[in-house]
Amino acid sequence: MRLSIILAAALLCSACDRLATRTAEYRPQEAGTVDQALCLLGFTGVPLQAAAVTGHHLVEVELNGHTGLFVLDTGANASVIDRRYVERFGLTPGGLQGQAFGVGGGQRAQIAQIESLAIAGVPIRQSRIAVADIAQVADVLGPLTGETIVGIIGQDALTEHRAVIDVARPILYLIEEDEAPAPQPLETCAGEESSD
């Protein structure tokens, strides 16, 4: 069902010259902004790429030292990398298997151990990622966004880092430390524009 809606959006936009994406600017140094308020609670803002046509959000992920674009999917129970890219990211799917559910539906997935994972430079506390065939999502969203989609960031990473998403801007806020939101000193968020 969702895939047919995405395909319908592609047909409606077939006359588009170039499918635009927009990216917000993260400004925690500006007093009175959501950026600064969340920064003062310990969140780091990660600007997302918003695909104008589909409404999906893309984020650059570094996995085992290699980068690629992932779709942010709040409905996915786990982060997943497309089976076609396991070698590129130095992954070896193991014998463990699980179920992955998300924008493309549900399917069986293998689990691969990972050395490191970061979302736009924010280290993610995760030692495994699901490996599955997500071609039906990646091959539809890729051409619509003009990007190569290699995976999905799901609830496992979002929940672990207490994610807050500002869909309108679009920015993803994550807590880097393994603790509840707590007041931070103003200097932490003031940046270079701080006045003494």
Side-chain angles (χ1 to χ4, degrees), residues 128-166:
R128 302 182 301 186
I129 192 164
V131 177
D133 179 4
I134 62 165
Q136 70 177 28
V137 173
D139 292 351
V140 170
L141 288 180
L144 290 175
T145 61
E147 304 285 356
T148 299
I149 309 294
V150 299
I152 295 169
I153 292 295
Q155 284 293 328
D156 52 353
L158 299 176
T159 301
E160 176 67 23
H161 292 272
R162 298 176 181 262
V164 174
I165 303 170
D166 183 339

Side-chain angles (χ1 to χ4, degrees), residues 1-7 54-58 70-80 100-107 133-142 144 149 151-155:
M1 175 69 173
R2 287 184 184 177
L3 192 57
S4 61
I5 293 170
I6 294 169
L7 289 172
T54 68
H56 290 87
H57 293 105
L58 307 177
F70 283 57
V71 176
L72 191 65
D73 185 358
T74 59
N77 66 327
S79 297
V80 180
F101 299 95
V103 71
Q107 63 176 287
D133 179 4
I134 62 165
Q136 70 177 28
V137 173
D139 292 351
V140 170
L141 288 180
L144 290 175
I149 309 294
I152 295 169
I153 292 295
Q155 284 293 328

Side-chain angles (χ1 to χ4, degrees), residues 147-195:
E147 304 285 356
T148 299
I149 309 294
V150 299
I152 295 169
I153 292 295
Q155 284 293 328
D156 52 353
L158 299 176
T159 301
E160 176 67 23
H161 292 272
R162 298 176 181 262
V164 174
I165 303 170
D166 183 339
V167 176
R169 288 194 51 207
I171 292 185
L172 168 67
Y173 300 92
L174 301 167
I175 287 190
E176 291 187 50
E177 303 301 322
D178 190 9
E179 57 190 42
Q184 303 291 314
L186 181 59
E187 298 78 40
T188 302
C189 303
E192 297 173 8
E193 297 181 20
S194 169
S195 58

Side-chain angles (χ1 to χ4, degrees), residues 104-119:
Q107 63 176 287
R108 296 198 54 75
Q110 289 185 292
I111 306 300
Q113 296 294 319
I114 59 176
E115 295 173 21
S116 64
L117 178 68
I119 297 176

